[in-house]
Amino acid sequence: MFVDHFKATNFRCFDNVECEFSRYLNVVYGNNGSGKSNFLEAIFYVLQGNGFRTKKDSYLLKYNAPFLRTEAKFTSQSIEKTVSVAWEKEAGKKITINGRENEKTASLFEECNVIIMTPATPELVKGGPEHRRKFIDRIHAKENPAYLSILNKYSITFRTRNLLLRRRLSNPHDKDMYSTLTHNIRNLSKIIQSERKNTIMQMQEVFFNICEQLNLPSLKNIRIMYAPSPIDAIDEYQLMQKEIQRGTSLIGSHLDRLSLRRDSRSLRIYGSEGEQKITAFVLKLCEFYFLETRTKNVPIVMLDDFQSELDNDNFNKMLAFIRPKAQIFLTSLHHEVVDNPDKVFKVENEEVHGEV
Ligand SMILES: Nc1ncnc2c1ncn2[C@@H]1O[C@H](COP(=O)(O)OP(=O)(O)O)[C@@H](O)[C@H]1O
Ligand SMILES: [Mg+2]
């Protein structure tokens, strides 16, 4: 897919921005703090309905402005579409797709494929298992949108169950409700664990193939290890006692462990900073491959300060992997970051200007 035209008002440091993009490689350059990431985030916002550095719309609103608005014309599977996402404090978020008002962020998630790589991406390897669970879950949800509603149901069940546990099942019907929720969390966990297992198996193969293709022999032995948390073999009464004591759910797929290992050693603990980074970026390339092949809608790729995260060789290899296929937005301090960019934008004095 491609974004052809983009407009934003009162988004982060910008009053007004309007641009026509190249369908190939767009370079966005400017000094530190000039607004490059803000610009990328604005494009991300109109395509996904939230920022990539925060989920809070109020942080995206230009200081002291009454509302923010972003709009875009994009082409997905050869069909031209329009989208706008606006937010103001009282009215909240308003998403319009092709003139249909009051759309949900889930519709944007289904409609638009965007992959973002930022200096925070290595958290996928360095951070806790929740980053990796979310990563796998979102990829699977792209292929199977019904999975998104399973995840939502899980999250509601988990939160309600925790609420009961925090008040120590003290209200009259709490025990009955707790039993029902325990049954539900078990069933939902089983579905989630089976889907995660499948996706991870496929991911392992894709990871291996991409490492071969990019000639990254040092990553060849990396395995994605999945340890689903036990769901059934727990005594009901003991479980309830423990959960009341701890005030939180101690069964369920939110406890699944997911790690990246080389020779059975965790990359999170033993990997070098560079290995963690490159593994995380290759995982994002796997995501690209999955979305491209499964949804038949080639993702837009946003690379925020990507070059400063990698050595030249790896930067060039990874860019070459996506460049022939995808519309790319690449931010950098310098416009000569790549040879022959298709369009260059300079960010300066809270404005964005196209140069080519
Ligand atoms: N909601 C906002 N309103 C106005 N300015 C903001 C807002 N959020 C962030 N900024 C400012 O935007 C500036 C540019 O940030 P950023 O896009 O991250 O720069 P960079 O070019 O280094 O990526 C920062 O100085 C920051 O203080
Ligand atoms: Mg930045």
Side-chain angles (χ1 to χ4, degrees):
M1 66 175 289
F2 316 99
V3 191
D4 295 315
H5 186 91
F6 174 72
K7 246 171 112 170
T9 306
N10 298 332
F11 192 98
R12 294 257 199 204
C13 62
F14 304 110
D15 286 328
N16 281 298
V17 177
E18 183 160 8
C19 302
E20 294 283 342
F21 296 131
S22 158
R23 289 189 167 192
Y24 304 97
L25 176 54
N26 298 273
V27 167
V28 177
Y29 79 101
N31 290 340
N32 285 327
S34 58
K36 302 179 295 298
S37 301
N38 291 348
F39 181 53
L40 232 55
E41 197 166 31
I43 309 167
F44 186 88
Y45 185 75
V46 80
L47 299 173
Q48 301 287 267
N50 47 255
F52 62 75
R53 292 179 293 182
T54 176
K55 293 276 178 271
K56 283 204 160 74
D57 301 270
S58 58
Y59 293 174
L60 305 173
L61 180 70
K62 176 148 191 172
Y63 304 148
N64 305 318
F67 68 93
L68 73 83
R69 182 176 167 82
T70 52
E71 50 186 282
K73 283 193 189 124
F74 67 97
T75 306
S76 141
Q77 289 163 316
S78 308
I79 301 170
E80 279 188 23
K81 297 185 179 173
T82 58
V83 59
S84 74
V85 182
W87 184 85
E88 58 184 302
K89 196 166 180 236
E90 298 304 324
K93 185 145 47 194
K94 226 174 131 188
I95 302 176
T96 307
I97 306 174
N98 272 342
R100 294 190 311 270
E101 293 187 352
N102 303 320
E103 286 281 350
K104 300 253 180 314
T105 12
S107 316
L108 281 178
F109 179 75
E110 270 188 51
E111 191 85 49
C112 302
N113 278 349
V114 186
I115 288 188
I116 174 114
M117 304 198 207
T118 75
T121 299
E123 282 303 302
L124 201 48
V125 176
K126 286 199 283 191
E130 67 280 7
H131 294 275
R132 293 177 285 282
R133 286 194 296 261
K134 192 168 170 203
F135 175 70
I136 294 291
D137 286 342
R138 284 178 68 86
I139 290 177
H140 183 59
K142 276 285 180 186
E143 197 185 346
N144 174 8
Y147 187 60
L148 208 57
S149 74
I150 302 266
L151 293 173
N152 281 338
K153 272 188 208 152
Y154 187 89
S155 151
I156 294 166
T157 310
F158 172 71
R159 275 184 279 137
T160 319
R161 206 164 172 275
N162 281 358
L163 198 84
L164 301 184
L165 289 167
R166 275 201 301 274
R167 66 177 187 230
R168 310 177 72 84
L169 309 185
S170 54
N171 288 5
H173 299 293
D174 278 2
K175 281 216 167 99
D176 288 344
M177 192 145 146
Y178 169 83
S179 269
T180 310
L181 294 175
T182 304
H183 176 78
N184 294 351
I185 212 167
R186 282 201 160 110
N187 286 343
L188 290 166
S189 292
K190 282 179 191 163
I191 301 173
I192 293 172
Q193 291 183 339
S194 143
E195 303 295 359
R196 282 181 181 163
K197 196 168 154 225
N198 278 334
T199 309
I200 290 163
M201 255 164 54
Q202 292 162 22
M203 173 76 70
Q204 181 69 66
E205 199 180 321
V206 174
F207 185 89
F208 185 79
N209 289 342
I210 292 180
C211 290
E212 290 267 290
Q213 206 178 319
L214 298 188
N215 191 17
L216 300 167
S218 61
L219 300 196
K220 225 176 63 191
N221 292 332
I222 290 176
R223 297 281 172 272
I224 310 169
M225 304 295 288
Y226 178 47
S229 87
I231 299 299
D232 280 324
I234 297 168
D235 177 83
E236 294 285 330
Y237 184 73
Q238 270 185 15
L239 175 68
M240 188 173 80
Q241 294 302 315
K242 258 196 200 162
E243 288 191 320
I244 292 176
Q245 201 180 21
R246 300 272 293 273
T248 188
S249 295
L250 299 176
I251 51 159
S253 53
H254 64 284
L255 298 169
D256 289 358
R257 282 181 302 156
L258 228 172
S259 56
L260 290 140
R261 291 176 182 260
R262 190 177 42 205
D263 305 326
S264 76
R265 289 200 182 85
S266 162
L267 217 56
R268 184 183 176 193
I269 298 166
Y270 296 103
S272 77
E273 189 97 5
E275 287 165 339
Q276 292 171 343
K277 273 185 194 175
I278 186 153
T279 306
F281 290 126
V282 172
L283 284 171
K284 297 295 279 185
L285 297 183
C286 295
E287 181 184 7
F288 178 84
Y289 175 86
F290 268 91
L291 267 53
E292 183 203 0
T293 49
R294 307 283 157 89
T295 67
K296 311 276 183 255
N297 185 16
V298 180
I300 292 171
V301 180
M302 299 188 168
L303 304 171
D304 194 18
D305 278 338
F306 188 57
Q307 185 218 19
S308 61
E309 293 295 309
L310 290 168
D311 58 63
N312 266 345
D313 189 36
N314 283 320
F315 169 73
N316 288 326
K317 280 179 183 172
M318 293 207 186
L319 193 65
F321 182 84
I322 40 185
R323 190 165 177 182
K325 302 174 189 165
Q327 183 182 36
I328 301 175
F329 295 90
L330 171 69
T331 69
S332 173
L333 291 172
H334 313 285
H335 71 281
E336 63 274 22
V337 57
V338 286
D339 294 333
N340 309 318
D342 298 285
K343 192 150 186 182
V344 176
F345 296 88
K346 184 171 188 181
V347 188
E348 195 177 38
N349 303 327
E350 302 178 348
E351 288 180 3
V352 182
H353 296 286
E355 291 193 340
V356 178

